[in-house]
């Protein structure tokens, strides 16, 4: 049961409050696939330009990520530049040069069309829908990420696509924007009724809340002594989540909790360096011990009974 | 082992995005003592003016809160007015009429001077320090709440007071402001070194993170279908926390987790109505079942082992 991701491969220029990095390997499909590959086989569908570096292609190969779906096109690779404030939840896009990504129309190779776990990273919902249509059979799990840009500019297409999706990844602001509801409970109800049975509400440094039908649970984020570069945290989260879910093959609450925990682990590693420097070099021990730390952080059950003292 | 709270009793005028309430019973000592009284005996030290209503005094009596330390002074009771945005984490103070509170100098009756659990609500740190000095012996636990106003305007006095405190309640912004450190881990280290072994970092709708020496745990907030009025949530939280802690008499991590859970429960009830309308009328079943809901929300431990798939 392998995983297929359709998204972007990019070169990012990132300025944080203390450091900068230019033209570093990034993009949603990059972060996703590297995080996912610790737990399962993963195939990547994306496009790069003729400037794409051999070193970066080698990186995917050395991680044993299937890049047979990574198209090369004439022109430059997608470039994004951004700046983070000291409060790393706040970022400003400095430039977005789509380049070869502007004409990207994902092609699925025959061996990708029957993948059981499909992740549609944050791209035009029309393209996301086309990918779903190109699958030979309905995947076991279709998960989707989107953003305010598509909610504001392409709402009808997005809603049509979301109808076909099992798991939706959005941050809280996007959930409110998509549902036109401020209260989170009402917002989630509305989005459930659009299609997805599971909604992963991302809250940055506050972790995630996962809503599955009428049930919910919270996975806190590890509190880090230093956040170097928040770029890619959400995609690394999704990669860990989908990798673990497809490896466990359990979409009950138990499986979802495990997947979310592993997602939180991978997201926390992603932000410890620029690009995928940290994410690409993890040991099983590092992953397991960070998972244990997050479980410890969230474990509040005690044997104590509440002592009441009424009159 | 009863609890003593020194703070304010006030009349609040609150505007939310959908409703308003004028001159409703409020104040830190009010929310604290009503929440605390479910779990332990509590004495309140505060001041009211000659306009203080008999009905409100009767409320304290009917809740069996010891108000022998509630002074009456000539003049009007402290009045606060505020307005909340749709995002109820954001509020604007409209007016603060200190009235009789301007000259408040807490007197401790002899029977209050040997209380074992002392909560210093958010007042001038000089007054907080005076209360500590007036105790006949060092309480088992001294807890303190403060705010940006005192951190900015009275930092030296606040730090002197904090040195004598075991448990500090602050929100994340205040923690950064007090420590002059942006990173939360570094900020907490600095504040630990000032004195308090336990720091309760309040994050509003995201719950609280409690730091005890090198350990930490997160208690999520219940996700409510409607927040009517956020006023008093922090004081109701502290009341539940100190009530439960003093009833259990366990300041290990286990006891702190229980206290924080009960704090989160009481905070969540406080915001479901204006004033203390909801907080004052809870059953043990309601409290227990909300505690169970929060435990369920935070329980992410599963028997699943991470399945790795490296090359």
């Amino acid at each position: 049961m392998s995983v297929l991701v359709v998204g972007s491969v990019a070169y990012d220029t990132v300025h944080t409050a203390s450091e900068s990095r230019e033209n570093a390997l990034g993009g949603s499909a990059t972060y996703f696939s590297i995080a996912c590959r610790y737990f399962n086989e993963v195939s990547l569908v994306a496009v790069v330009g003729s400037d794409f570096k051999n070193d970066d292609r080698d990186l995917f190969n050395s991680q044993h990520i299937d890049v047979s779906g990574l198209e090369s096109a004439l022109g430059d690779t997608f470039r994004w530049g951004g700046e983070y404030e000291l409060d790393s939840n706040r970022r400003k896009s400095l430039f977005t040069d789509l380049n070869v990504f502007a004409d990207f129309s994902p092609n699925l190779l025959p061996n990708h069309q029957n993948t059981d776990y499909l992740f549609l990273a944050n791209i035009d919902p029309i393209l996301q829908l086309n990918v779903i249509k190109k699958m030979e059979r309905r995947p076991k799990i279709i998960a989707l990420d989107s953003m305010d840009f598509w909610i504001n500019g392409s709402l009808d297409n997005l809603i049509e696509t979301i109808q076909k999706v099992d798991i939706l990844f959005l941050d809280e602001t996007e959930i409110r924007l998509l549902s036109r509801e401020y209260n989170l409970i009402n917002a989630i109800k509305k989005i459930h009724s659009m299609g997805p049975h599971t909604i992963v509400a991302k809250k940055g440094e506050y972790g995630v809340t996962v809503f599955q039908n009428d049930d919910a649970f919270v996975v806190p984020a590890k509190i880090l002594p230093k956040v170097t570069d928040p770029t890619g945290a959400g995609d690394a989260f999704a990669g860990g989540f989908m990798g673990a879910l497809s490896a466990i093959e359990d979409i009950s609450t138990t499986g979802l909790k495990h997947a979310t925990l592993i997602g939180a682990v991978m997201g926390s590693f992603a932000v410890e360096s620029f690009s995928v420097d940290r994410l690409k070099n993890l040991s099983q021990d590092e992953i397991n011990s960070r998972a244990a730390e997050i479980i410890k952080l969230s474990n509040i059950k005690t044997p104590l009974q509440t002592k009441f003292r009424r009159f």
Side-chain angles (χ1 to χ4, degrees), chain A:
Chain A
M1 301 292 166
S2 67
V3 180
L4 179 66
V5 52
V6 182
S8 64
V9 172
Y11 285 129
D12 292 341
T13 294
V14 175
H15 305 284
T16 69
S18 56
E19 288 169 273
S20 292
R21 178 78 76 91
E22 286 187 12
N23 291 313
L25 181 63
S28 55
T30 304
Y31 283 100
F32 181 96
S33 59
I34 293 175
C36 184
R37 187 60 185 84
Y38 287 91
F39 314 102
N40 211 342
E41 287 171 8
V42 56
S43 302
L44 176 161
V45 172
V47 63
V48 291
S50 31
D51 61 342
F52 194 64
K53 290 176 217 147
N54 281 333
D55 282 0
D56 292 325
R57 195 175 290 273
D58 290 347
L59 171 65
F60 286 118
N61 288 326
S62 71
Q63 298 276 324
H64 297 247
I65 291 163
D66 168 24
V67 287
S68 58
L70 181 62
E71 270 179 65
S72 276
L74 273 177
D76 282 341
T77 300
F78 178 24
R79 274 175 171 70
W80 177 80
E83 191 176 351
Y84 293 89
E85 294 181 25
L86 193 54
D87 172 357
S88 59
N89 285 327
R90 298 164 72 96
R91 84 171 178 195
K92 187 165 71 176
S93 278
L94 298 176
F95 60 85
T96 304
D97 299 335
L98 289 176
N99 301 329
V100 296
F101 203 72
D103 299 318
F104 179 47
S105 174
N107 275 315
L108 298 195
L109 299 171
N111 59 321
H112 293 157
Q113 289 169 12
N114 55 6
T115 313
D116 277 319
Y117 290 79
L118 172 63
F119 180 69
L120 301 162
N122 172 25
I123 57 175
D124 188 330
I126 296 179
L127 299 183
Q128 292 175 320
L129 187 60
N130 281 343
V131 172
I132 295 173
K133 287 180 179 163
K134 284 178 184 168
M135 297 302 284
E136 192 183 295
R137 61 165 195 272
R138 211 272 178 197
K140 283 196 177 171
I141 292 290
I142 304 177
L144 181 144
D145 185 26
S146 193
M147 71 187 295
D148 50 1
F149 180 79
W150 305 115
I151 299 171
N152 288 322
S154 203
L155 186 62
D156 290 347
N157 294 327
L158 182 60
I159 288 177
E160 193 187 343
T161 308
I162 284 177
Q163 283 169 0
K164 304 193 183 306
V165 159
D166 303 292
I167 303 176
L168 187 62
F169 295 82
L170 287 178
D171 72 30
E172 284 180 300
T173 315
E174 292 158 356
I175 285 171
R176 290 181 169 128
L177 199 60
L178 173 63
S179 62
R180 306 279 190 257
E181 285 279 351
Y182 189 81
N183 179 279
L184 211 54
I185 302 256
N186 298 335
I188 293 297
K189 266 189 200 155
K190 242 181 164 169
I191 299 178
H192 273 321
S193 75
M194 293 177 185
H197 57 68
T198 300
I199 299 158
V200 180
K202 299 185 283 183
K203 303 175 295 179
E205 61 178 311
Y206 303 114
V208 296
T209 305
V210 178
F211 298 88
Q212 191 188 30
N213 301 321
D214 286 339
D215 230 0
F217 61 88
V218 174
V219 175
K222 172 165 165 68
I223 309 155
L224 294 166
K226 184 161 190 264
V227 172
T228 298
D229 172 12
T231 311
D235 296 305
F237 175 93
F241 182 103
M242 290 293 281
L245 196 67
S246 61
I248 295 285
E249 288 204 81
D250 173 357
I251 59 159
S252 71
T253 306
T254 303
L256 275 181
K257 282 181 179 178
H258 176 73
T260 308
L261 174 66
I262 297 300
V265 166
M266 302 314 278
S268 80
F269 283 123
V271 306
E272 288 189 335
S273 71
F274 282 102
S275 187
V276 294
D277 293 1
R278 178 87 175 104
L279 199 61
K280 71 185 179 191
N281 280 319
L282 297 170
S283 70
Q284 297 190 5
D285 276 356
E286 283 177 313
I287 290 171
N288 279 332
S289 70
R290 186 149 301 179
E293 283 177 70
I294 294 176
I295 284 175
K296 184 163 178 252
L297 197 61
S298 71
N299 172 24
I300 56 165
K301 203 170 174 181
T302 73
L304 299 176
Q305 295 296 311
T306 306
K307 285 194 189 174
F308 287 97
R309 181 150 188 167
R310 293 310 261 173
F311 331 136

